[in-house]
Amino acid sequence: MATEDVDSRFIDLDAWSLASAMEAMWEGQLAAVAAVGRALPAITAATDAAKEALGDRGRLIYVGAGTSGRVAVQDGAELPPTFAWPPERLRFIIAGGESALIASVEGAEDDVADALKQIDDVRLSPHDVVIAVAASGTTPFTVAALQQAGTYGIVTIGVASNPGTALLSSAKYPVLVETGRELIAGSTRMKAGTAQKVVLNLISTGIMLRLGRVFRGMMVNMQTTNTKLKLRAELMVTQIAGCDQSQAAGALEQAGGDIKLATLMVLGYDKAEAEGLLASHKGNLRRVFADLTHGHSE
């Protein structure tokens, strides 16, 4: 497998000047990001399928081992604060469990029985989406978890850096990102890890775009959990509703920090009316405005 092979160009990397080694590693990172471009059609198809499956009740379930598992957790953990993705609609199936996120757990990535148990324990529904990540595409834990998830007939997405591997052949939506040989053979925290992070960024953010959790380039479902984010929320409301910051702050306080709700309240709807509008449009502010504009033009 390319991710495990020694690259003859870097056979004496440890003897190079540090400046030259740094430049080579940087170039490897650029190449990893560029490799994602060739996978965009597959990434887009996977994202669209995930959005359709998830709707307003499905769960995102990330699967991985080692570096891939940590990258997966990093992506998923950002979804609740950034997009108010409900924590109960997010699961992580990691080889070795949570302790493996900060320390290596010996033999965990080979534990097929644990993979099957963790998948069955989450009680998959038809609306769930499983995203499994493994640079090699052969990690026994990750492959077994994805294959078991596939028996439930749900959307499964596999992300790997080697072609023709079990993870890709087992996924309903395979995403191959050929990052090739690492500068340090087998150190997939480098090129492959970078590519994985980019792919997961695209998939998760694309899902949130399609589910209406972004409006005019702003994360309007964001949770206002600190001073910086409260200020950002106020600025969002002022920009969308065309009001001053004090109006925005007051509306946000009444709306419990809900940016979309506060925006509609500034525009003249009482809280119950605004909640009703959002509910009838599944929380999609763009659809709310489109419907209101259409209604006013008739």
Side-chain angles (χ1 to χ4, degrees), residues 36-98:
V36 176
R38 297 187 291 274
L40 280 174
I43 294 168
T44 301
T47 302
D48 193 49
K51 176 266 176 185
E52 290 299 321
L54 287 165
D56 57 5
R57 50 182 166 161
R59 296 174 295 175
L60 272 170
I61 299 165
Y62 290 81
V63 180
T67 296
S68 298
R70 297 180 191 105
V71 171
V73 169
Q74 182 183 8
D75 187 73
E78 295 291 341
L79 301 183
T82 306
F83 301 107
W85 187 254
E88 65 272 15
R89 294 179 63 191
L90 182 65
R91 291 287 185 276
F92 299 107
I93 293 177
I94 305 300
E98 289 187 7

Short mmCIF file of all heavy atoms in Angstrom, two decimals, residues 36-98:
data_model
loop_
_atom_site.label_atom_id
_atom_site.label_comp_id
_atom_site.label_asym_id
_atom_site.label_seq_id
_atom_site.Cartn_x
_atom_site.Cartn_y
_atom_site.Cartn_z
N VAL A 36 -7.50 15.92 -2.62
CA VAL A 36 -8.93 15.91 -2.30
C VAL A 36 -9.76 16.37 -3.50
O VAL A 36 -10.89 15.91 -3.71
CB VAL A 36 -9.22 16.81 -1.08
CG1 VAL A 36 -10.72 16.89 -0.79
CG2 VAL A 36 -8.49 16.27 0.15
N GLY A 37 -9.20 17.27 -4.31
CA GLY A 37 -9.93 17.79 -5.46
C GLY A 37 -10.42 16.71 -6.39
O GLY A 37 -11.54 16.79 -6.93
N ARG A 38 -9.62 15.68 -6.58
CA ARG A 38 -10.01 14.59 -7.48
C ARG A 38 -11.16 13.76 -6.92
O ARG A 38 -11.83 13.03 -7.65
CB ARG A 38 -8.80 13.70 -7.77
CG ARG A 38 -7.68 14.42 -8.51
CD ARG A 38 -6.57 13.48 -8.94
NE ARG A 38 -5.80 12.95 -7.82
CZ ARG A 38 -4.75 13.57 -7.26
NH1 ARG A 38 -4.37 14.75 -7.72
NH2 ARG A 38 -4.10 13.02 -6.26
N ALA A 39 -11.39 13.88 -5.62
CA ALA A 39 -12.45 13.10 -4.98
C ALA A 39 -13.73 13.89 -4.80
O ALA A 39 -14.70 13.38 -4.23
CB ALA A 39 -11.96 12.60 -3.62
N LEU A 40 -13.77 15.14 -5.27
CA LEU A 40 -14.94 15.99 -5.01
C LEU A 40 -16.26 15.39 -5.50
O LEU A 40 -17.28 15.49 -4.80
CB LEU A 40 -14.73 17.38 -5.63
CG LEU A 40 -13.85 18.32 -4.81
CD1 LEU A 40 -13.58 19.62 -5.57
CD2 LEU A 40 -14.49 18.63 -3.46
N PRO A 41 -16.32 14.75 -6.68
CA PRO A 41 -17.60 14.14 -7.08
C PRO A 41 -18.08 13.09 -6.08
O PRO A 41 -19.27 13.05 -5.74
CB PRO A 41 -17.28 13.52 -8.44
CG PRO A 41 -16.17 14.36 -8.98
CD PRO A 41 -15.33 14.69 -7.78
N ALA A 42 -17.17 12.27 -5.58
CA ALA A 42 -17.54 11.24 -4.61
C ALA A 42 -17.94 11.87 -3.28
O ALA A 42 -18.90 11.43 -2.63
CB ALA A 42 -16.38 10.27 -4.39
N ILE A 43 -17.23 12.91 -2.88
CA ILE A 43 -17.54 13.61 -1.63
C ILE A 43 -18.92 14.25 -1.72
O ILE A 43 -19.72 14.20 -0.78
CB ILE A 43 -16.46 14.66 -1.31
CG1 ILE A 43 -15.12 13.97 -1.02
CG2 ILE A 43 -16.86 15.52 -0.12
CD1 ILE A 43 -13.94 14.92 -0.99
N THR A 44 -19.21 14.86 -2.86
CA THR A 44 -20.50 15.52 -3.06
C THR A 44 -21.64 14.51 -3.03
O THR A 44 -22.68 14.75 -2.39
CB THR A 44 -20.51 16.28 -4.40
OG1 THR A 44 -19.46 17.25 -4.40
CG2 THR A 44 -21.84 17.00 -4.62
N ALA A 45 -21.46 13.38 -3.69
CA ALA A 45 -22.50 12.34 -3.70
C ALA A 45 -22.75 11.81 -2.30
O ALA A 45 -23.91 11.61 -1.89
CB ALA A 45 -22.08 11.20 -4.63
N ALA A 46 -21.68 11.61 -1.54
CA ALA A 46 -21.81 11.11 -0.16
C ALA A 46 -22.54 12.12 0.71
O ALA A 46 -23.41 11.77 1.52
CB ALA A 46 -20.44 10.80 0.41
N THR A 47 -22.20 13.38 0.55
CA THR A 47 -22.81 14.45 1.35
C THR A 47 -24.30 14.57 1.05
O THR A 47 -25.12 14.70 1.97
CB THR A 47 -22.11 15.78 1.08
OG1 THR A 47 -20.71 15.64 1.38
CG2 THR A 47 -22.69 16.90 1.92
N ASP A 48 -24.65 14.52 -0.22
CA ASP A 48 -26.05 14.63 -0.61
C ASP A 48 -26.87 13.47 -0.05
O ASP A 48 -27.98 13.66 0.47
CB ASP A 48 -26.16 14.68 -2.13
CG ASP A 48 -27.54 15.10 -2.61
OD1 ASP A 48 -28.06 16.12 -2.11
OD2 ASP A 48 -28.10 14.42 -3.47
N ALA A 49 -26.31 12.28 -0.14
CA ALA A 49 -27.00 11.10 0.39
C ALA A 49 -27.17 11.19 1.90
O ALA A 49 -28.21 10.83 2.46
CB ALA A 49 -26.24 9.83 0.02
N ALA A 50 -26.13 11.69 2.57
CA ALA A 50 -26.19 11.84 4.03
C ALA A 50 -27.27 12.82 4.43
O ALA A 50 -28.04 12.58 5.36
CB ALA A 50 -24.83 12.29 4.56
N LYS A 51 -27.34 13.95 3.74
CA LYS A 51 -28.35 14.95 4.04
C LYS A 51 -29.75 14.38 3.89
O LYS A 51 -30.63 14.58 4.73
CB LYS A 51 -28.15 16.17 3.14
CG LYS A 51 -29.21 17.26 3.30
CD LYS A 51 -30.33 17.11 2.30
CE LYS A 51 -31.44 18.14 2.52
NZ LYS A 51 -32.59 17.93 1.63
N GLU A 52 -29.99 13.66 2.80
CA GLU A 52 -31.31 13.09 2.56
C GLU A 52 -31.68 12.09 3.65
O GLU A 52 -32.83 12.02 4.08
CB GLU A 52 -31.34 12.42 1.18
CG GLU A 52 -31.30 13.38 0.01
CD GLU A 52 -32.48 14.34 0.00
OE1 GLU A 52 -33.61 13.91 0.32
OE2 GLU A 52 -32.27 15.52 -0.32
N ALA A 53 -30.73 11.31 4.08
CA ALA A 53 -31.00 10.29 5.10
C ALA A 53 -31.24 10.91 6.47
O ALA A 53 -32.17 10.52 7.19
CB ALA A 53 -29.85 9.30 5.17
N LEU A 54 -30.43 11.88 6.83
CA LEU A 54 -30.47 12.43 8.19
C LEU A 54 -31.78 13.14 8.51
O LEU A 54 -32.35 12.94 9.59
CB LEU A 54 -29.30 13.41 8.38
CG LEU A 54 -27.92 12.78 8.51
CD1 LEU A 54 -26.84 13.83 8.31
CD2 LEU A 54 -27.77 12.10 9.86
N GLY A 55 -32.23 14.00 7.59
CA GLY A 55 -33.46 14.75 7.85
C GLY A 55 -33.39 15.46 9.19
O GLY A 55 -32.38 16.05 9.55
N ASP A 56 -34.48 15.34 9.96
CA ASP A 56 -34.52 16.02 11.26
C ASP A 56 -34.44 15.06 12.43
O ASP A 56 -34.73 15.42 13.56
CB ASP A 56 -35.80 16.87 11.37
CG ASP A 56 -37.06 16.05 11.17
OD1 ASP A 56 -36.97 14.81 11.03
OD2 ASP A 56 -38.16 16.65 11.15
N ARG A 57 -34.01 13.81 12.16
CA ARG A 57 -33.90 12.87 13.28
C ARG A 57 -32.74 11.88 13.21
O ARG A 57 -32.42 11.21 14.18
CB ARG A 57 -35.20 12.08 13.43
CG ARG A 57 -35.71 11.43 12.15
CD ARG A 57 -37.01 10.72 12.38
NE ARG A 57 -37.68 10.39 11.12
CZ ARG A 57 -38.63 9.47 11.01
NH1 ARG A 57 -38.99 8.78 12.07
NH2 ARG A 57 -39.19 9.24 9.84
N GLY A 58 -32.08 11.79 12.03
CA GLY A 58 -30.97 10.85 11.90
C GLY A 58 -29.74 11.28 12.67
O GLY A 58 -29.58 12.44 13.03
N ARG A 59 -28.84 10.32 12.90
CA ARG A 59 -27.61 10.59 13.64
C ARG A 59 -26.39 10.46 12.73
O ARG A 59 -26.36 9.63 11.82
CB ARG A 59 -27.47 9.60 14.80
CG ARG A 59 -28.54 9.72 15.87
CD ARG A 59 -28.40 8.62 16.90
NE ARG A 59 -28.64 7.30 16.30
CZ ARG A 59 -28.50 6.14 16.95
NH1 ARG A 59 -28.12 6.14 18.22
NH2 ARG A 59 -28.74 4.99 16.34
N LEU A 60 -25.39 11.27 13.00
CA LEU A 60 -24.09 11.14 12.37
C LEU A 60 -23.21 10.29 13.28
O LEU A 60 -23.05 10.60 14.46
CB LEU A 60 -23.44 12.51 12.18
CG LEU A 60 -23.76 13.26 10.89
CD1 LEU A 60 -23.23 14.69 10.99
CD2 LEU A 60 -23.19 12.56 9.67
N ILE A 61 -22.67 9.23 12.72
CA ILE A 61 -21.87 8.30 13.51
C ILE A 61 -20.50 8.16 12.86
O ILE A 61 -20.38 7.68 11.72
CB ILE A 61 -22.57 6.93 13.61
CG1 ILE A 61 -23.94 7.11 14.29
CG2 ILE A 61 -21.71 5.93 14.37
CD1 ILE A 61 -24.87 5.94 14.12
N TYR A 62 -19.47 8.60 13.57
CA TYR A 62 -18.10 8.56 13.06
C TYR A 62 -17.41 7.30 13.58
O TYR A 62 -17.54 6.95 14.75
CB TYR A 62 -17.32 9.76 13.52
CG TYR A 62 -17.72 11.09 12.92
CD1 TYR A 62 -18.81 11.81 13.41
CD2 TYR A 62 -16.98 11.66 11.88
CE1 TYR A 62 -19.16 13.05 12.87
CE2 TYR A 62 -17.32 12.90 11.35
CZ TYR A 62 -18.40 13.58 11.84
OH TYR A 62 -18.75 14.81 11.32
N VAL A 63 -16.63 6.67 12.69
CA VAL A 63 -15.90 5.45 13.06
C VAL A 63 -14.43 5.60 12.68
O VAL A 63 -14.11 6.07 11.58
CB VAL A 63 -16.48 4.22 12.34
CG1 VAL A 63 -15.70 2.96 12.73
CG2 VAL A 63 -17.96 4.04 12.65
N GLY A 64 -13.54 5.20 13.59
CA GLY A 64 -12.13 5.24 13.25
C GLY A 64 -11.26 4.64 14.33
O GLY A 64 -11.72 4.32 15.43
N ALA A 65 -9.97 4.48 14.00
CA ALA A 65 -8.98 3.97 14.95
C ALA A 65 -7.73 4.83 14.85
O ALA A 65 -7.42 5.36 13.77
CB ALA A 65 -8.64 2.51 14.63
N GLY A 66 -7.03 5.00 15.96
CA GLY A 66 -5.78 5.75 15.95
C GLY A 66 -5.95 7.17 15.46
O GLY A 66 -6.91 7.86 15.82
N THR A 67 -5.03 7.61 14.60
CA THR A 67 -5.08 8.98 14.07
C THR A 67 -6.41 9.26 13.38
O THR A 67 -7.02 10.31 13.57
CB THR A 67 -3.93 9.22 13.07
OG1 THR A 67 -2.69 9.11 13.77
CG2 THR A 67 -4.02 10.59 12.44
N SER A 68 -6.87 8.31 12.58
CA SER A 68 -8.12 8.50 11.84
C SER A 68 -9.29 8.70 12.79
O SER A 68 -10.18 9.53 12.54
CB SER A 68 -8.39 7.30 10.93
OG SER A 68 -7.37 7.16 9.97
N GLY A 69 -9.31 7.97 13.89
CA GLY A 69 -10.37 8.13 14.87
C GLY A 69 -10.31 9.50 15.53
O GLY A 69 -11.35 10.13 15.76
N ARG A 70 -9.11 9.98 15.81
CA ARG A 70 -8.97 11.30 16.44
C ARG A 70 -9.39 12.41 15.49
O ARG A 70 -10.02 13.39 15.90
CB ARG A 70 -7.51 11.49 16.90
CG ARG A 70 -7.10 10.49 17.98
CD ARG A 70 -5.66 10.69 18.45
NE ARG A 70 -5.27 9.55 19.26
CZ ARG A 70 -4.46 8.57 18.86
NH1 ARG A 70 -3.93 8.61 17.64
NH2 ARG A 70 -4.17 7.55 19.64
N VAL A 71 -9.05 12.25 14.21
CA VAL A 71 -9.48 13.25 13.21
C VAL A 71 -11.00 13.26 13.11
O VAL A 71 -11.63 14.31 13.02
CB VAL A 71 -8.84 12.94 11.84
CG1 VAL A 71 -9.45 13.82 10.75
CG2 VAL A 71 -7.33 13.16 11.89
N ALA A 72 -11.60 12.07 13.13
CA ALA A 72 -13.05 11.96 13.05
C ALA A 72 -13.73 12.63 14.23
O ALA A 72 -14.72 13.36 14.08
CB ALA A 72 -13.46 10.49 12.96
N VAL A 73 -13.20 12.40 15.42
CA VAL A 73 -13.78 13.00 16.63
C VAL A 73 -13.63 14.52 16.58
O VAL A 73 -14.56 15.25 16.95
CB VAL A 73 -13.11 12.43 17.89
CG1 VAL A 73 -13.51 13.24 19.13
CG2 VAL A 73 -13.52 10.97 18.08
N GLN A 74 -12.49 14.98 16.10
CA GLN A 74 -12.28 16.43 16.01
C GLN A 74 -13.35 17.07 15.12
O GLN A 74 -13.90 18.12 15.44
CB GLN A 74 -10.89 16.73 15.44
CG GLN A 74 -10.58 18.22 15.37
CD GLN A 74 -9.23 18.51 14.74
OE1 GLN A 74 -8.58 17.61 14.20
NE2 GLN A 74 -8.81 19.75 14.77
N ASP A 75 -13.66 16.42 14.00
CA ASP A 75 -14.67 16.97 13.10
C ASP A 75 -16.05 16.95 13.76
O ASP A 75 -16.75 17.97 13.79
CB ASP A 75 -14.71 16.17 11.80
CG ASP A 75 -15.63 16.81 10.77
OD1 ASP A 75 -15.26 17.85 10.20
OD2 ASP A 75 -16.74 16.29 10.55
N GLY A 76 -16.45 15.81 14.27
CA GLY A 76 -17.78 15.69 14.84
C GLY A 76 -18.00 16.55 16.07
O GLY A 76 -19.09 17.12 16.26
N ALA A 77 -16.97 16.69 16.90
CA ALA A 77 -17.11 17.45 18.14
C ALA A 77 -17.40 18.92 17.89
O ALA A 77 -17.94 19.62 18.76
CB ALA A 77 -15.85 17.30 18.99
N GLU A 78 -17.05 19.42 16.71
CA GLU A 78 -17.28 20.83 16.39
C GLU A 78 -18.71 21.11 15.94
O GLU A 78 -19.13 22.27 15.88
CB GLU A 78 -16.32 21.27 15.28
CG GLU A 78 -14.86 21.26 15.66
CD GLU A 78 -14.50 22.33 16.69
OE1 GLU A 78 -15.28 23.29 16.83
OE2 GLU A 78 -13.45 22.19 17.35
N LEU A 79 -19.47 20.08 15.62
CA LEU A 79 -20.80 20.31 15.04
C LEU A 79 -21.82 20.87 16.03
O LEU A 79 -22.61 21.75 15.66
CB LEU A 79 -21.32 19.01 14.42
CG LEU A 79 -20.44 18.42 13.31
CD1 LEU A 79 -21.10 17.18 12.71
CD2 LEU A 79 -20.15 19.45 12.22
N PRO A 80 -21.86 20.43 17.29
CA PRO A 80 -22.82 21.04 18.22
C PRO A 80 -22.59 22.53 18.46
O PRO A 80 -23.53 23.32 18.33
CB PRO A 80 -22.65 20.20 19.49
CG PRO A 80 -22.21 18.86 18.99
CD PRO A 80 -21.28 19.19 17.86
N PRO A 81 -21.35 22.98 18.78
CA PRO A 81 -21.20 24.42 19.02
C PRO A 81 -21.32 25.27 17.75
O PRO A 81 -21.80 26.40 17.81
CB PRO A 81 -19.79 24.54 19.61
CG PRO A 81 -19.08 23.32 19.14
CD PRO A 81 -20.11 22.25 19.07
N THR A 82 -20.89 24.74 16.63
CA THR A 82 -20.89 25.53 15.39
C THR A 82 -22.26 25.58 14.73
O THR A 82 -22.67 26.63 14.23
CB THR A 82 -19.86 24.95 14.39
OG1 THR A 82 -18.58 24.87 15.03
CG2 THR A 82 -19.75 25.84 13.16
N PHE A 83 -22.94 24.44 14.72
CA PHE A 83 -24.20 24.35 13.98
C PHE A 83 -25.39 23.94 14.86
O PHE A 83 -26.46 23.66 14.35
CB PHE A 83 -24.07 23.35 12.84
CG PHE A 83 -22.99 23.70 11.85
CD1 PHE A 83 -21.80 22.97 11.80
CD2 PHE A 83 -23.15 24.75 10.97
CE1 PHE A 83 -20.81 23.28 10.89
CE2 PHE A 83 -22.16 25.08 10.05
CZ PHE A 83 -20.98 24.34 10.01
N ALA A 84 -25.18 23.91 16.18
CA ALA A 84 -26.20 23.44 17.12
C ALA A 84 -26.71 22.06 16.73
O ALA A 84 -27.89 21.74 16.92
CB ALA A 84 -27.37 24.43 17.20
N TRP A 85 -25.81 21.23 16.21
CA TRP A 85 -26.20 19.84 15.93
C TRP A 85 -26.44 19.15 17.26
O TRP A 85 -25.58 19.17 18.14
CB TRP A 85 -25.09 19.13 15.16
CG TRP A 85 -25.48 17.76 14.69
CD1 TRP A 85 -25.05 16.58 15.21
CD2 TRP A 85 -26.37 17.44 13.62
NE1 TRP A 85 -25.62 15.52 14.53
CE2 TRP A 85 -26.45 16.02 13.55
CE3 TRP A 85 -27.12 18.19 12.73
CZ2 TRP A 85 -27.23 15.36 12.62
CZ3 TRP A 85 -27.91 17.53 11.79
CH2 TRP A 85 -27.95 16.13 11.75
N PRO A 86 -27.61 18.56 17.46
CA PRO A 86 -27.92 17.98 18.77
C PRO A 86 -26.92 16.89 19.18
O PRO A 86 -26.67 15.96 18.39
CB PRO A 86 -29.32 17.38 18.56
CG PRO A 86 -29.90 18.13 17.40
CD PRO A 86 -28.73 18.42 16.50
N PRO A 87 -26.35 16.98 20.36
CA PRO A 87 -25.38 15.97 20.80
C PRO A 87 -25.94 14.55 20.78
O PRO A 87 -25.18 13.60 20.54
CB PRO A 87 -25.06 16.41 22.24
CG PRO A 87 -25.31 17.88 22.25
CD PRO A 87 -26.48 18.08 21.33
N GLU A 88 -27.25 14.43 21.00
CA GLU A 88 -27.84 13.08 20.97
C GLU A 88 -27.92 12.52 19.56
O GLU A 88 -28.20 11.33 19.37
CB GLU A 88 -29.24 13.09 21.61
CG GLU A 88 -30.29 13.91 20.87
CD GLU A 88 -30.32 15.37 21.30
OE1 GLU A 88 -29.35 15.85 21.95
OE2 GLU A 88 -31.33 16.03 20.99
N ARG A 89 -27.64 13.35 18.56
CA ARG A 89 -27.63 12.89 17.17
C ARG A 89 -26.19 12.75 16.66
O ARG A 89 -25.95 12.79 15.46
CB ARG A 89 -28.43 13.86 16.28
CG ARG A 89 -29.91 13.90 16.61
CD ARG A 89 -30.65 14.89 15.72
NE ARG A 89 -30.58 14.53 14.32
CZ ARG A 89 -30.96 15.33 13.32
NH1 ARG A 89 -31.41 16.55 13.58
NH2 ARG A 89 -30.88 14.91 12.06
N LEU A 90 -25.27 12.53 17.59
CA LEU A 90 -23.86 12.40 17.26
C LEU A 90 -23.27 11.25 18.06
O LEU A 90 -23.47 11.15 19.27
CB LEU A 90 -23.14 13.71 17.61
CG LEU A 90 -21.66 13.83 17.30
CD1 LEU A 90 -21.41 13.77 15.80
CD2 LEU A 90 -21.12 15.14 17.88
N ARG A 91 -22.58 10.35 17.38
CA ARG A 91 -21.95 9.21 18.06
C ARG A 91 -20.55 8.99 17.51
O ARG A 91 -20.28 9.25 16.34
CB ARG A 91 -22.77 7.93 17.85
CG ARG A 91 -24.12 7.90 18.55
CD ARG A 91 -23.97 7.74 20.06
NE ARG A 91 -25.25 7.59 20.71
CZ ARG A 91 -26.04 8.59 21.08
NH1 ARG A 91 -25.65 9.84 20.86
NH2 ARG A 91 -27.19 8.37 21.69
N PHE A 92 -19.67 8.47 18.37
CA PHE A 92 -18.31 8.14 17.95
C PHE A 92 -18.04 6.67 18.30
O PHE A 92 -18.23 6.26 19.45
CB PHE A 92 -17.29 9.03 18.65
CG PHE A 92 -17.46 10.50 18.35
CD1 PHE A 92 -17.97 11.36 19.32
CD2 PHE A 92 -17.11 11.01 17.11
CE1 PHE A 92 -18.14 12.70 19.05
CE2 PHE A 92 -17.28 12.36 16.83
CZ PHE A 92 -17.79 13.21 17.80
N ILE A 93 -17.60 5.94 17.32
CA ILE A 93 -17.23 4.54 17.53
C ILE A 93 -15.72 4.46 17.27
O ILE A 93 -15.26 4.49 16.13
CB ILE A 93 -18.03 3.62 16.59
CG1 ILE A 93 -19.51 3.65 17.00
CG2 ILE A 93 -17.48 2.20 16.62
CD1 ILE A 93 -20.42 2.85 16.12
N ILE A 94 -14.97 4.41 18.36
CA ILE A 94 -13.52 4.53 18.30
C ILE A 94 -12.87 3.26 18.84
O ILE A 94 -13.24 2.77 19.92
CB ILE A 94 -13.05 5.75 19.12
CG1 ILE A 94 -13.75 7.02 18.64
CG2 ILE A 94 -11.53 5.89 19.03
CD1 ILE A 94 -13.52 7.38 17.20
N ALA A 95 -11.91 2.74 18.12
CA ALA A 95 -11.19 1.56 18.58
C ALA A 95 -10.48 1.87 19.90
O ALA A 95 -9.73 2.83 19.99
CB ALA A 95 -10.15 1.13 17.54
N GLY A 96 -10.79 1.10 20.92
CA GLY A 96 -10.19 1.32 22.23
C GLY A 96 -10.97 2.28 23.11
O GLY A 96 -10.59 2.52 24.25
N GLY A 97 -12.06 2.84 22.57
CA GLY A 97 -12.89 3.74 23.36
C GLY A 97 -12.28 5.12 23.53
O GLY A 97 -11.30 5.48 22.87
N GLU A 98 -12.87 5.91 24.41
CA GLU A 98 -12.45 7.31 24.58
C GLU A 98 -11.00 7.44 25.03
O GLU A 98 -10.33 8.41 24.67
CB GLU A 98 -13.36 8.00 25.60
CG GLU A 98 -14.77 8.26 25.09
CD GLU A 98 -15.58 9.09 26.06
OE1 GLU A 98 -15.01 9.57 27.07
OE2 GLU A 98 -16.78 9.25 25.82
#
